[in-house]
Amino acid sequence: MTDLTRATADIPPGRATIVDVARAAQVSRQTVSNVLNRPDKVAAPTLERVLREIDRLGFTPHVTAQQLRRRKAAAYGFEVNPSGHGRMGHILDEFLVQLTVAAPAHGSHLMTFAPDPDDVIEGYRQTLATGLVDGFVLADTRPGDPRPQWLLDHHVPFVAFGRVWDLPELLQWVDVDGGTGVRDAVAHLVAAGYERIGFLGWPAGSPVGDDRRSGWLAGLADAGRTASAVEAEESVQDLDQATAAAERLLRRLGPGSAVVCASDMLALGAVRAVRNTGLALGADIGVVGFDDTDVAEALSVTSIRQPIAEAARTAWDLLTSPQSPRPVLLSPVLTVRSSTTRTPSSPATRPRDTPITEEQ
């Protein structure tokens, strides 16, 4: 044992300083700092020697030194407004929170960045160039999305929250089965005794919206009912337009009917339409939303809740253990409230196996 090694041998783990590391590795304090913060500026033999002393002295957690050797940051980027498209903020905001909460359990952390309004890819290119991230978590995927292919072409690890519609062979995504969620909502409304069940959705062409509409059709087929064109309406994510579309739909459906909506925003428009027509929510017209936002809870609207915390954990699993990637489709949960309760004495129930929670 050399005098230098002997001098540092009795330092308790975690108590060593940057000066101790520099002395043991026979380098300057600045060199140790460069190893920790800019390893690309340090010659390979020096880098290895300093990292060896970092490990031995316990100056930083063992995993950090290992990550430095591999030149990995254990951080992943997340675009705070994916693709710059308009969105219903609740779900992706919640997903970001849950990603952040789940990150430490996967030995990682999340780095957010803003989109480039003129170039969808530029924000990813710049973030990757910093060397601060190993890959990305994508959200708000849609047809024509250039991000997945660009990341594949540049061999950048990523996982998507949402199916990658243009690349059906891609396996690294987690999504929520919205079609099944709406199908279960229809079954719930049939069991509750609503005579006609309409659908208020987004304009055709949205993969998510079209998937939810297919769930409505499948639910009616399960009940032996045939969908009619007059039982559906479309609206963008705008409260006034949703209200007007719902009023048109209710005039055709009549009392004793129900409406399944592609989002809670559309459901809020349906609630306003019910009140505008002088009917009673639940007793006369049933309304089901999608996403189970705070607004749905506040207005006691039955809604389909996405398992966002589970989606975030699954995304980390797929990203940090990519040896056998597989797509994961999660089941949503229907939360039943008074907007689909026809009378106080006969609470709504339904026979399907998908879990439903009831709030009084």
Side-chain angles (χ1 to χ4, degrees), residues 280-336:
L281 185 65
D284 294 326
I285 299 289
V287 173
V288 177
F290 200 113
D291 285 335
D292 200 19
T293 59
D294 294 341
V295 172
E297 182 178 7
L299 296 178
S300 194
V301 174
T302 295
S303 189
I304 301 161
R305 182 168 183 79
Q306 302 194 50
I308 299 301
E310 185 180 357
R313 292 191 297 270
T314 302
W316 280 120
D317 288 340
L318 293 173
L319 193 58
T320 58
S321 302
Q323 292 82 2
S324 300
R326 72 199 191 288
V328 178
L329 198 58
L330 302 175
S331 297
V333 176
L334 185 67
T335 301
V336 177

Side-chain angles (χ1 to χ4, degrees), residues 147-156:
R147 298 174 299 167
Q149 190 62 61
W150 186 88
L151 294 170
L152 287 172
D153 291 344
H154 290 79
H155 308 288
V156 179

Side-chain angles (χ1 to χ4, degrees), residues 47-318:
L47 178 66
E48 288 297 322
R49 188 166 72 254
V50 173
L51 289 174
R52 193 161 50 245
E53 294 304 327
I54 285 175
D55 280 351
R56 186 175 68 82
L57 297 176
F59 173 63
T60 55
H62 221 77
V63 65
T64 302
Q66 292 171 346
Q67 290 161 357
L68 287 170
R69 279 198 194 87
R70 297 192 304 268
R71 302 293 179 93
K72 293 184 74 72
Y76 295 85
F78 183 85
E79 188 182 357
V80 291
N81 183 19
S83 304
H85 292 282
R87 60 184 176 84
M88 182 85 169
H90 172 85
I91 290 302
L92 293 185
D93 291 345
E94 184 180 351
F95 183 63
L96 173 58
V97 170
Q98 294 299 337
L99 275 177
T100 305
V101 169
H106 293 80
S108 301
H109 62 279
L110 202 65
M111 187 180 112
T112 57
F113 64 97
D116 186 308
D118 300 319
D119 186 346
V120 172
I121 296 300
E122 186 58 28
Y124 289 82
R125 185 184 292 111
Q126 292 180 2
T127 303
L128 193 62
T130 66
L132 298 177
V133 301
D134 298 326
F136 296 93
V137 180
L138 304 184
D140 197 23
T141 55
R142 60 189 60 238
D145 189 338
R147 298 174 299 167
Q149 190 62 61
W150 186 88
L151 294 170
L152 287 172
D153 291 344
H154 290 79
H155 308 288
V156 179
F158 72 94
V159 66
F161 176 41
R163 277 159 276 193
V164 182
W165 303 95
D166 295 333
L167 299 170
E169 71 278 9
L170 197 68
L171 302 179
Q172 56 263 40
W173 56 262
V174 55
D175 202 358
V176 176
D177 192 347
T180 293
V182 172
R183 186 175 185 173
D184 292 332
V186 172
H188 160 70
L189 294 170
V190 169
Y194 291 99
E195 297 168 11
R196 302 179 72 184
I197 300 170
F199 182 74
L200 179 57
W202 299 316
S206 160
V208 174
D210 292 348
D211 183 51
R212 294 176 186 181
R213 189 179 192 280
S214 70
W216 168 65
L217 295 172
L220 291 179
D222 291 342
R225 301 185 184 185
T226 302
S228 166
V230 300
E231 294 176 322
E233 269 287 349
E234 296 179 351
S235 172
V236 297
Q237 287 282 91
D238 176 85
L239 182 56
D240 289 338
Q241 293 191 46
T243 302
E247 288 177 347
R248 293 193 299 270
L249 182 58
L250 292 181
R251 283 195 293 270
R252 298 196 296 265
L253 293 176
S257 301
V259 179
V260 182
C261 304
S263 71
D264 281 348
M265 174 66 78
L266 300 187
L268 179 55
V271 169
R272 289 179 67 187
V274 170
R275 292 173 177 171
N276 289 347
T277 56
L279 298 172
L281 185 65
D284 294 326
I285 299 289
V287 173
V288 177
F290 200 113
D291 285 335
D292 200 19
T293 59
D294 294 341
V295 172
E297 182 178 7
L299 296 178
S300 194
V301 174
T302 295
S303 189
I304 301 161
R305 182 168 183 79
Q306 302 194 50
I308 299 301
E310 185 180 357
R313 292 191 297 270
T314 302
W316 280 120
D317 288 340
L318 293 173

